[in-house]
Short mmCIF file of all heavy atoms in Angstrom, two decimals:
data_model
loop_
_atom_site.label_atom_id
_atom_site.label_comp_id
_atom_site.label_asym_id
_atom_site.label_seq_id
_atom_site.Cartn_x
_atom_site.Cartn_y
_atom_site.Cartn_z
N GLN A 1 3.35 -13.63 -14.96
CA GLN A 1 4.72 -13.14 -14.35
C GLN A 1 4.57 -12.50 -13.17
O GLN A 1 3.85 -11.56 -12.99
CB GLN A 1 5.24 -12.17 -15.50
CG GLN A 1 6.73 -11.63 -15.09
CD GLN A 1 7.27 -10.81 -16.11
OE1 GLN A 1 6.94 -10.96 -17.28
NE2 GLN A 1 8.15 -9.82 -15.74
N PRO A 2 5.36 -13.09 -12.03
CA PRO A 2 5.14 -12.59 -10.68
C PRO A 2 5.90 -11.35 -10.30
O PRO A 2 6.70 -11.39 -9.21
CB PRO A 2 5.51 -13.78 -9.94
CG PRO A 2 6.64 -14.43 -10.68
CD PRO A 2 6.20 -14.16 -12.16
N ASN A 3 6.10 -10.32 -11.14
CA ASN A 3 6.82 -9.20 -10.79
C ASN A 3 6.44 -8.45 -9.65
O ASN A 3 7.24 -7.81 -8.88
CB ASN A 3 6.84 -8.19 -12.04
CG ASN A 3 7.77 -8.64 -13.15
OD1 ASN A 3 8.44 -9.58 -13.03
ND2 ASN A 3 7.70 -7.99 -14.39
N LEU A 4 5.20 -8.49 -9.23
CA LEU A 4 4.64 -7.80 -8.09
C LEU A 4 5.33 -8.22 -6.78
O LEU A 4 5.56 -7.45 -6.01
CB LEU A 4 3.13 -8.03 -8.08
CG LEU A 4 2.40 -7.47 -6.81
CD1 LEU A 4 2.65 -5.99 -6.69
CD2 LEU A 4 0.86 -7.80 -6.93
N LEU A 5 5.49 -9.54 -6.69
CA LEU A 5 6.11 -10.07 -5.49
C LEU A 5 7.47 -9.49 -5.26
O LEU A 5 7.85 -9.13 -4.02
CB LEU A 5 6.23 -11.66 -5.52
CG LEU A 5 4.94 -12.31 -5.68
CD1 LEU A 5 5.05 -13.81 -5.72
CD2 LEU A 5 3.96 -12.00 -4.47
N GLY A 6 8.23 -9.34 -6.30
CA GLY A 6 9.64 -8.64 -6.14
C GLY A 6 9.47 -7.37 -5.71
O GLY A 6 10.25 -6.86 -4.81
N TYR A 7 8.57 -6.60 -6.19
CA TYR A 7 8.42 -5.14 -5.79
C TYR A 7 8.01 -5.09 -4.33
O TYR A 7 8.49 -4.30 -3.63
CB TYR A 7 7.43 -4.37 -6.67
CG TYR A 7 7.21 -2.94 -6.37
CD1 TYR A 7 7.97 -2.00 -6.81
CD2 TYR A 7 6.10 -2.59 -5.52
CE1 TYR A 7 7.76 -0.76 -6.52
CE2 TYR A 7 5.96 -1.31 -5.17
CZ TYR A 7 6.78 -0.34 -5.72
OH TYR A 7 6.66 1.01 -5.36
N LEU A 8 7.01 -5.95 -3.97
CA LEU A 8 6.61 -5.93 -2.56
C LEU A 8 7.65 -6.33 -1.56
O LEU A 8 7.75 -5.82 -0.53
CB LEU A 8 5.40 -6.81 -2.39
CG LEU A 8 4.11 -6.48 -3.18
CD1 LEU A 8 3.06 -7.45 -2.95
CD2 LEU A 8 3.66 -5.06 -2.71
N ASN A 9 8.53 -7.23 -2.08
CA ASN A 9 9.66 -7.64 -1.17
C ASN A 9 10.54 -6.41 -1.02
O ASN A 9 11.10 -6.26 0.13
CB ASN A 9 10.41 -8.78 -1.80
CG ASN A 9 9.70 -10.13 -1.62
OD1 ASN A 9 8.89 -10.26 -0.79
ND2 ASN A 9 10.03 -11.04 -2.51
N LYS A 10 10.80 -5.58 -1.92
CA LYS A 10 11.55 -4.43 -1.77
C LYS A 10 10.97 -3.49 -0.78
O LYS A 10 11.66 -2.89 0.10
CB LYS A 10 11.73 -3.63 -3.16
CG LYS A 10 12.62 -4.38 -4.16
CD LYS A 10 12.66 -3.52 -5.46
CE LYS A 10 13.59 -4.19 -6.52
NZ LYS A 10 13.62 -3.36 -7.74
N THR A 11 9.69 -3.41 -0.90
CA THR A 11 8.97 -2.56 0.15
C THR A 11 9.12 -2.98 1.53
O THR A 11 9.47 -2.33 2.46
CB THR A 11 7.46 -2.39 -0.27
OG1 THR A 11 7.38 -1.97 -1.57
CG2 THR A 11 6.81 -1.48 0.63
N GLN A 12 9.05 -4.38 1.61
CA GLN A 12 8.99 -4.94 3.02
C GLN A 12 10.41 -4.89 3.52
O GLN A 12 10.68 -4.82 4.75
CB GLN A 12 8.54 -6.44 2.90
CG GLN A 12 7.09 -6.41 2.61
CD GLN A 12 6.53 -7.77 2.35
OE1 GLN A 12 7.28 -8.73 2.16
NE2 GLN A 12 5.23 -7.94 2.21
N ASN A 13 11.43 -5.02 2.62
CA ASN A 13 12.88 -4.94 3.06
C ASN A 13 13.28 -3.58 3.70
O ASN A 13 14.25 -3.42 4.41
CB ASN A 13 13.83 -5.30 1.96
CG ASN A 13 13.82 -6.72 1.67
OD1 ASN A 13 13.35 -7.51 2.47
ND2 ASN A 13 14.19 -7.05 0.43
N SER A 14 12.42 -2.51 3.45
CA SER A 14 12.69 -1.21 3.86
C SER A 14 12.18 -1.10 5.37
O SER A 14 12.48 -0.03 5.98
CB SER A 14 11.98 -0.09 3.09
OG SER A 14 10.46 -0.21 3.29
N GLY A 15 11.60 -2.10 5.87
CA GLY A 15 11.27 -2.12 7.27
C GLY A 15 9.79 -1.96 7.46
O GLY A 15 9.30 -2.14 8.53
N ASN A 16 9.08 -1.90 6.29
CA ASN A 16 7.60 -1.84 6.54
C ASN A 16 6.97 -2.93 5.71
O ASN A 16 7.41 -3.18 4.62
CB ASN A 16 7.01 -0.52 5.81
CG ASN A 16 7.50 0.69 6.58
OD1 ASN A 16 7.58 0.67 7.76
ND2 ASN A 16 7.90 1.79 5.86
N THR A 17 5.97 -3.60 6.28
CA THR A 17 5.28 -4.56 5.62
C THR A 17 4.15 -3.94 4.76
O THR A 17 3.85 -2.82 4.94
CB THR A 17 4.57 -5.57 6.53
OG1 THR A 17 3.55 -4.86 7.40
CG2 THR A 17 5.62 -6.18 7.51
N LEU A 18 3.57 -4.67 3.85
CA LEU A 18 2.56 -4.25 2.95
C LEU A 18 1.46 -3.84 3.93
O LEU A 18 0.69 -2.80 3.74
CB LEU A 18 2.02 -5.32 1.99
CG LEU A 18 0.88 -4.90 1.10
CD1 LEU A 18 1.17 -3.60 0.32
CD2 LEU A 18 0.51 -6.02 0.08
N LEU A 19 1.11 -4.66 4.92
CA LEU A 19 0.03 -4.40 5.87
C LEU A 19 0.21 -3.02 6.50
O LEU A 19 -0.67 -2.17 6.73
CB LEU A 19 -0.13 -5.48 6.91
CG LEU A 19 -1.32 -5.36 7.87
CD1 LEU A 19 -2.61 -5.27 7.13
CD2 LEU A 19 -1.26 -6.58 8.81
N ASP A 20 1.54 -2.79 6.93
CA ASP A 20 1.77 -1.52 7.57
C ASP A 20 1.48 -0.36 6.65
O ASP A 20 1.04 0.73 7.09
CB ASP A 20 3.30 -1.43 8.01
CG ASP A 20 3.63 -2.37 9.20
OD1 ASP A 20 2.61 -2.66 9.96
OD2 ASP A 20 4.77 -2.90 9.24
N SER A 21 1.91 -0.60 5.40
CA SER A 21 1.78 0.60 4.42
C SER A 21 0.33 0.82 4.19
O SER A 21 -0.06 1.88 3.96
CB SER A 21 2.41 0.18 3.10
OG SER A 21 3.91 -0.04 3.38
N LEU A 22 -0.39 -0.25 4.05
CA LEU A 22 -1.83 -0.01 3.87
C LEU A 22 -2.51 0.81 5.07
O LEU A 22 -3.28 1.65 4.87
CB LEU A 22 -2.62 -1.40 3.71
CG LEU A 22 -2.48 -2.08 2.37
CD1 LEU A 22 -2.93 -3.48 2.50
CD2 LEU A 22 -3.10 -1.38 1.24
N TYR A 23 -2.07 0.50 6.28
CA TYR A 23 -2.59 1.08 7.35
C TYR A 23 -2.17 2.48 7.43
O TYR A 23 -2.98 3.42 7.66
CB TYR A 23 -2.00 0.45 8.67
CG TYR A 23 -2.40 1.17 9.93
CD1 TYR A 23 -3.71 0.97 10.50
CD2 TYR A 23 -1.56 2.02 10.62
CE1 TYR A 23 -4.08 1.66 11.73
CE2 TYR A 23 -1.85 2.69 11.78
CZ TYR A 23 -3.23 2.59 12.29
OH TYR A 23 -3.52 3.17 13.38
N GLN A 24 -0.92 2.85 7.17
CA GLN A 24 -0.52 4.24 7.09
C GLN A 24 -1.07 5.06 6.00
O GLN A 24 -1.49 6.20 6.16
CB GLN A 24 1.07 4.27 6.95
CG GLN A 24 1.86 3.80 7.96
CD GLN A 24 1.60 4.53 9.36
OE1 GLN A 24 1.34 5.66 9.40
NE2 GLN A 24 1.59 3.77 10.48
N SER A 25 -1.38 4.35 4.80
CA SER A 25 -2.06 5.01 3.75
C SER A 25 -3.43 5.43 4.22
O SER A 25 -3.93 6.56 4.02
CB SER A 25 -2.16 4.09 2.55
OG SER A 25 -2.89 4.73 1.57
N GLN A 26 -4.20 4.49 4.81
CA GLN A 26 -5.60 4.78 5.30
C GLN A 26 -5.65 5.88 6.33
O GLN A 26 -6.48 6.63 6.41
CB GLN A 26 -6.21 3.44 5.72
CG GLN A 26 -7.62 3.62 6.15
CD GLN A 26 -8.70 4.18 5.16
OE1 GLN A 26 -8.32 4.07 3.99
NE2 GLN A 26 -9.78 4.70 5.49
N LYS A 27 -4.57 5.73 7.30
CA LYS A 27 -4.58 6.71 8.42
C LYS A 27 -4.30 8.08 7.91
O LYS A 27 -4.83 9.09 8.57
CB LYS A 27 -3.42 6.26 9.35
CG LYS A 27 -3.28 7.03 10.64
CD LYS A 27 -2.21 6.50 11.34
CE LYS A 27 -2.05 7.35 12.74
NZ LYS A 27 -0.90 6.82 13.54
N ALA A 28 -3.64 8.11 6.74
CA ALA A 28 -3.31 9.58 6.23
C ALA A 28 -4.47 10.24 5.58
O ALA A 28 -4.72 11.34 5.46
CB ALA A 28 -2.19 9.47 5.15
N SER A 29 -5.42 9.39 5.08
CA SER A 29 -6.57 9.90 4.38
C SER A 29 -7.86 8.98 4.54
O SER A 29 -7.81 7.85 4.30
CB SER A 29 -6.28 10.09 2.85
OG SER A 29 -7.47 10.47 2.19
N ARG A 30 -8.93 9.65 5.12
CA ARG A 30 -10.19 8.86 5.27
C ARG A 30 -11.00 8.86 4.11
O ARG A 30 -12.05 8.24 4.01
CB ARG A 30 -11.01 9.47 6.54
CG ARG A 30 -10.14 9.49 7.86
CD ARG A 30 -9.71 8.11 8.29
NE ARG A 30 -10.79 7.20 8.69
CZ ARG A 30 -10.58 6.05 9.14
NH1 ARG A 30 -9.42 5.51 9.22
NH2 ARG A 30 -11.63 5.34 9.55
N ALA A 31 -10.55 9.54 3.01
CA ALA A 31 -11.30 9.68 1.75
C ALA A 31 -10.82 8.60 0.79
O ALA A 31 -10.87 8.89 -0.50
CB ALA A 31 -11.16 11.12 1.27
N LEU A 32 -10.29 7.45 1.23
CA LEU A 32 -9.74 6.51 0.26
C LEU A 32 -10.78 6.05 -0.81
O LEU A 32 -10.40 5.93 -1.97
CB LEU A 32 -9.16 5.27 1.02
CG LEU A 32 -8.50 4.18 0.29
CD1 LEU A 32 -7.35 4.88 -0.56
CD2 LEU A 32 -7.93 3.09 1.15
N PRO A 33 -11.97 5.82 -0.49
CA PRO A 33 -12.98 5.36 -1.56
C PRO A 33 -13.06 6.43 -2.63
O PRO A 33 -13.08 6.09 -3.83
CB PRO A 33 -14.18 5.24 -0.74
CG PRO A 33 -13.90 4.83 0.65
CD PRO A 33 -12.67 5.79 0.76
N SER A 34 -13.09 7.66 -2.20
CA SER A 34 -13.15 8.73 -3.27
C SER A 34 -11.94 8.85 -4.09
O SER A 34 -11.89 9.10 -5.30
CB SER A 34 -13.39 10.19 -2.51
OG SER A 34 -13.27 11.19 -3.39
N ASP A 35 -10.72 8.58 -3.33
CA ASP A 35 -9.48 8.54 -4.09
C ASP A 35 -9.37 7.44 -5.08
O ASP A 35 -8.90 7.68 -6.25
CB ASP A 35 -8.27 8.43 -3.06
CG ASP A 35 -8.20 9.75 -2.26
OD1 ASP A 35 -8.68 10.81 -2.66
OD2 ASP A 35 -7.56 9.68 -1.19
N SER A 36 -9.89 6.35 -4.80
CA SER A 36 -9.98 5.12 -5.53
C SER A 36 -10.76 5.35 -6.80
O SER A 36 -10.54 4.90 -7.93
CB SER A 36 -10.30 3.93 -4.79
OG SER A 36 -9.43 3.63 -3.80
N ARG A 37 -11.81 6.11 -6.66
CA ARG A 37 -12.79 6.34 -7.65
C ARG A 37 -12.13 7.23 -8.68
O ARG A 37 -12.29 7.05 -9.99
CB ARG A 37 -14.10 6.91 -7.16
CG ARG A 37 -15.06 5.92 -6.66
CD ARG A 37 -16.48 6.45 -6.53
NE ARG A 37 -16.62 7.59 -5.59
CZ ARG A 37 -16.75 7.35 -4.28
NH1 ARG A 37 -16.94 6.19 -3.72
NH2 ARG A 37 -16.76 8.43 -3.50
N LYS A 38 -11.39 8.17 -8.21
CA LYS A 38 -10.55 9.18 -9.11
C LYS A 38 -9.55 8.37 -9.88
O LYS A 38 -9.30 8.60 -11.14
CB LYS A 38 -10.00 10.28 -8.33
CG LYS A 38 -11.00 11.20 -7.70
CD LYS A 38 -10.32 12.20 -6.86
CE LYS A 38 -11.25 13.32 -6.26
NZ LYS A 38 -10.54 14.32 -5.33
N LEU A 39 -8.88 7.45 -9.04
CA LEU A 39 -7.88 6.65 -9.81
C LEU A 39 -8.50 5.72 -10.89
O LEU A 39 -7.97 5.72 -12.01
CB LEU A 39 -7.13 5.72 -8.74
CG LEU A 39 -6.08 4.71 -9.35
CD1 LEU A 39 -5.02 5.48 -10.01
CD2 LEU A 39 -5.55 3.91 -8.19
#
């Protein structure tokens, strides 16, 4: 079931692409590997 695509489309319709969001997320925190391990 491709529900993810619909969710990503909503995100992109807000003016930000997934790539932009990934960039902003990494820019906000350089400790992403540590955060991912906690997740």
Side-chain angles (χ1 to χ4, degrees):
Q1 182 174 329
N3 283 352
L4 173 59
L5 297 181
Y7 182 84
L8 294 179
N9 284 337
K10 288 182 182 178
T11 302
Q12 292 172 354
N13 288 339
S14 68
N16 296 319
T17 65
L18 177 58
L19 183 57
D20 290 335
S21 298
L22 285 169
Y23 175 78
Q24 293 301 327
S25 176
Q26 178 64 15
K27 187 177 179 182
S29 173
R30 303 301 291 180
L32 184 57
S34 175
D35 293 339
S36 292
R37 284 194 296 269
K38 290 177 182 177
L39 176 61

